[in-house]
């Protein structure tokens, strides 16, 4: 970051310690007409307001803020400790524990690097700058659909810099590589990672958060909607494909490589791939666990297509194979299969290093969403009824557009995880209060929460590539704004056309 940005980040963090208590006290003491007679909802609103400020300013670590907020709900008797902390044991928590362990094994054994180098070193790819850019982004997006966007960016960032180094040749002024191509390569790294995460429920945190809110809130309204892994992909994959093709087209147009020969680049990538040697035992075992996990995830959807949604086979799979079960079975395989050199594919000390803080953050977000949506507090319904007047009465499509736009806007100012926890419950409440089916607006908001492309602070992916010094801030803003607009349009279009498939 520049000195100015660093000062702003310090100011933002310190401001949270002042604004959060002030907002908590202000809401606690204020006399809101809509909250009269709803003391529990009033107390929850004060706690949630303080938590949102702490999430946006990141004055405290976000997982700690989630735990602190849940603790405050118990202290202020918003609900009992059993109900407040129950969402921390939501099945989706175990889905991410299992998938995080798989991602850890992929990273340890270098399976992601092997995949990236295998694609980029293909003769049909390495001989042309546009093909390199396309393949590089496609591999990044694919990997990001299965592991952390940030981890994907960090890994592909190093590969991207190596490619650029070779393409520059001696690095002197005589180099024919256009500097704009380096900017395009770095932006492709960050943008493709963020886009790829939309494809699967485990690709990025907002997807899991949105699924949790959709299940819990719509269940409370009597609607039994359980979006499976396969059903999510029916919407997420088309969004990724369309948005990726658009992003590649404009980055390839605005960031040309100039007159350069990539034969040396292809030779370098082939050399790096050869240095990996044959597949090692740990890579094979990790790949087996990955295939088993994905196969079990998509099995219910395949059976539904073949036998029908109401078939006995589909009901059998739904009862025995919710997403958390394949994730934990796949993770268990990693502790059973050999990893080479007398070890297993994954050791517990390595598994302990997954991001437990993110798991706790999910739990805190679910806790607030569930508490706000219960009849005990009724806060979500109150918020929805009060905010409904801010939107035009344009039916489900109007809510879908508004929800996606607001989620995208909020994601620019704060992390996508915090955006999901803030926006999605309100969208569901507002839609329900207006008598509009909340499913499609909730899906649109969930996907929109990952569209933070304009600023280095919008996502860790952006921050990583901005730190390379190859991405002028003005270009990140311009190209990011274009992608935000396109992403909103694509999400609205795909969800409105294919949203019925997940019902």
């Amino acid at each position: 970051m520049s000195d100015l940005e660093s000062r702003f980040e310090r100011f933002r963090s310190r401001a949270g310690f002042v604004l959060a208590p002030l907002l908590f006290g202000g809401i606690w003491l204020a006399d809101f007409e809509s909250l009269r007679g709803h003391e529990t909802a009033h107390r929850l609103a004060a706690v949630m307001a303080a938590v949102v400020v702490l999430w946006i300013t990141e004055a405290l670590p976000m997982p700690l803020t989630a735990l602190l907020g849940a603790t405050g709900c118990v202290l202020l008797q918003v609900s009992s400790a059993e109900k407040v902390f129950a969402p921390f044991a939501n099945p989706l928590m175990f889905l991410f524990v299992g998938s995080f362990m798989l991602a850890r094994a992929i990273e340890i054994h270098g399976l992601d690097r092997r995949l990236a180098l295998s694609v980029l070193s293909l003769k049909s790819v390495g001989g042309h700058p546009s093909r390199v850019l396309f393949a590089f982004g496609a591999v990044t997006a694919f990997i990001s659909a299965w592991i952390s966007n940030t981890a994907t960016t960090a890994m592909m960032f190093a590969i991207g810099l190596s490619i650029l180094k070779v393409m520059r040749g001696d690095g002197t002024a005589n180099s024919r590589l256009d500097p704009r191509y380096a900017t395009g390569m770095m932006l492709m790294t960050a943008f493709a990672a963020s886009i790829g995460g939309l494809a699967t429920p485990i690709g990025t945190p907002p997807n899991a958060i949105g699924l949790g809110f959709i299940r819990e809130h719509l269940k409370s309204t009597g609607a039994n909607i359980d979006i499976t892994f396969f059903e999510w992909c029916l919407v997420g994959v088309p969004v990724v494909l369309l948005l990726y093709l658009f992003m590649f087209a404009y980055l390839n147009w605005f960031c040309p490589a100039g007159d350069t020969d990539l034969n040396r680049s292809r030779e370098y990538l082939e050399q790096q791939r050869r240095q990996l040697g044959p597949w090692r035992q740990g890579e094979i075992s990790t790949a087996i666990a990955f295939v088993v996990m994905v196969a079990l995830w998509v099995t219910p959807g395949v059976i539904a297509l073949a036998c029908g949604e109401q078939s006995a086979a589909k009901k059998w799979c739904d009862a025995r194979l919710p997403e958390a079960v394949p994730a934990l079975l796949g993770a268990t395989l990693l502790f059973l299969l050999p990893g080479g050199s007398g070890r297993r594919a994954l050791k517990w000390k390595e598994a302990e290093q997954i991001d437990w803080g993110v798991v706790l953050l999910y739990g805190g977000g679910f806790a607030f969403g569930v508490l706000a949506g219960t009849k005990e507090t009724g806060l979500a319904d109150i918020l929805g009824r009060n905010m409904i007047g801010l939107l035009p009465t344009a039916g489900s499509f109007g809510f879908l557009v508004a929800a996606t736009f607001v989620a995208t806007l909020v994601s620019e100012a704060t992390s996508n995880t915090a955006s999901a926890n803030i926006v999605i419950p309100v969208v569901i409440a507002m839609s329900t209060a207006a008598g509009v089916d909340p499913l499609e607006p909730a899906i649109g908001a969930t996907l929109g929460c990952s569209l933070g492309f304009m600023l280095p602070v919008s996502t860790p992916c952006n921050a990583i590539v901005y730190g390379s010094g190859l991405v002028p801030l003005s270009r990140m803003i311009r190209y990011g704004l274009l992608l935000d607009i396109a992403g909103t349009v694509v999400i609205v279009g795909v969800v409105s056309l294919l949203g019925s498939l997940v019902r």
Side-chain angles (χ1 to χ4, degrees), residues 7 29 87 144 148 177 261 320 452 462:
R7 288 196 297 270
L29 297 174
S144 187
S148 158
L177 182 67
D261 181 10
R320 291 165 176 79
N462 289 7

Side-chain angles (χ1 to χ4, degrees), residues 142-405:
F142 176 79
I143 294 175
S144 187
W146 307 100
I147 67 174
S148 158
N149 296 354
T150 306
T152 301
T153 302
M155 187 268 295
M156 296 302 292
F157 175 68
I159 295 176
L161 288 178
S162 299
I163 295 173
L164 291 173
K165 181 179 179 181
V166 174
M167 292 173 67
R168 284 195 181 106
D170 57 11
T172 65
N174 295 324
S175 176
R176 293 175 294 176
L177 182 67
D178 194 316
R180 289 177 294 178
Y181 186 82
T183 299
M185 179 73 78
M186 291 294 97
L187 290 177
M188 176 65 81
T189 307
F191 292 172
S194 294
I195 290 172
L198 300 175
T200 67
I202 64 169
T204 186
N207 294 356
I209 294 171
L211 282 174
F213 284 137
I214 289 170
R215 290 173 180 173
E216 294 298 329
H217 282 270
L218 297 188
K219 186 185 298 181
S220 66
T221 64
N224 188 19
I225 296 177
D226 188 10
I227 301 176
T228 66
F229 187 98
F230 183 79
E231 289 172 340
W232 178 272
C233 293
L234 291 178
V235 175
V237 171
V239 169
V240 170
L241 291 176
L242 291 174
L243 196 51
Y244 177 75
L245 290 174
F246 173 83
M247 176 188 63
F248 165 74
Y250 82 74
L251 284 181
N252 187 56
W253 176 265
F254 289 117
C255 303
D259 183 18
T260 186
D261 181 10
L262 294 187
N263 287 328
R264 293 184 59 191
S265 170
R266 188 174 63 204
E267 292 172 1
Y268 169 80
L269 292 170
E270 290 176 348
Q271 178 187 6
Q272 291 293 305
R273 182 178 61 82
R274 287 193 297 269
Q275 288 179 357
L276 292 176
W279 279 63
R280 298 182 293 273
Q281 185 64 62
E283 292 176 284
I284 295 173
S285 296
T286 302
I288 291 173
F290 174 81
V291 171
V292 169
M293 192 181 293
V294 174
L296 292 176
W297 273 332
V298 302
T299 294
V302 174
I303 289 178
L305 290 176
C307 304
E309 192 69 35
Q310 302 301 321
S311 65
K314 176 62 165 58
K315 294 179 180 178
W316 188 94
C317 286
D318 288 343
R320 291 165 176 79
L321 291 176
E323 284 87 346
V325 172
L328 294 178
L329 289 175
T332 302
L333 279 177
L334 295 170
F335 292 93
L336 298 175
L337 296 173
S341 302
R343 56 159 289 168
R344 302 295 182 184
L346 189 66
K347 297 187 291 187
W348 183 250
K349 287 186 177 180
E350 296 167 337
E352 286 178 334
Q353 297 173 22
I354 68 172
D355 197 342
W356 292 102
V358 174
V359 176
L360 294 176
L361 179 60
Y362 294 156
F366 284 146
F368 285 117
V370 171
L371 289 173
T374 61
K375 294 181 180 180
E376 185 178 353
T377 67
L379 180 60
D381 183 62
I382 294 170
L383 287 174
R385 292 184 184 278
N386 279 274
M387 296 179 67
I388 196 66
L390 301 177
L391 292 178
T393 55
S396 181
F397 182 78
F399 271 90
L400 170 60
V401 174
T404 306
F405 173 76

Side-chain angles (χ1 to χ4, degrees), residues 45-71:
V47 174
M48 289 185 65
V51 168
V52 168
V53 170
L54 291 174
W55 271 340
I56 292 175
T57 61
E58 297 183 87
L60 293 172
M62 294 179 67
L64 178 60
T65 298
L67 292 173
L68 181 62
T71 303

Side-chain angles (χ1 to χ4, degrees), residues 51-126:
V51 168
V52 168
V53 170
L54 291 174
W55 271 340
I56 292 175
T57 61
E58 297 183 87
L60 293 172
M62 294 179 67
L64 178 60
T65 298
L67 292 173
L68 181 62
T71 303
C73 288
V74 178
L75 288 173
L76 298 176
Q77 286 296 283
V78 172
S79 189
S80 65
E82 290 78 9
K83 292 182 179 179
V84 171
F85 291 107
F88 286 87
N90 187 289
L92 286 174
M93 300 300 103
F94 300 97
L95 163 66
F96 272 83
V97 168
S99 62
F100 283 174
M101 289 183 179
L102 174 65
R104 180 74 179 126
I106 289 174
E107 178 186 357
I108 289 171
H109 297 290
L111 195 59
D112 47 4
R113 182 174 175 82
R114 181 179 291 277
L115 171 63
L117 290 174
S118 296
V119 174
L120 293 174
S121 61
L122 293 173
K123 292 183 178 180
S124 59
V125 171

Side-chain angles (χ1 to χ4, degrees), residues 403-414 419 448-449 451 454 484 488:
T404 306
F405 173 76
V406 170
T408 302
L409 190 64
V410 173
S411 70
E412 290 291 353
T414 186
S419 301
C449 285
L451 299 185
M454 289 177 57
D484 277 340
T488 302

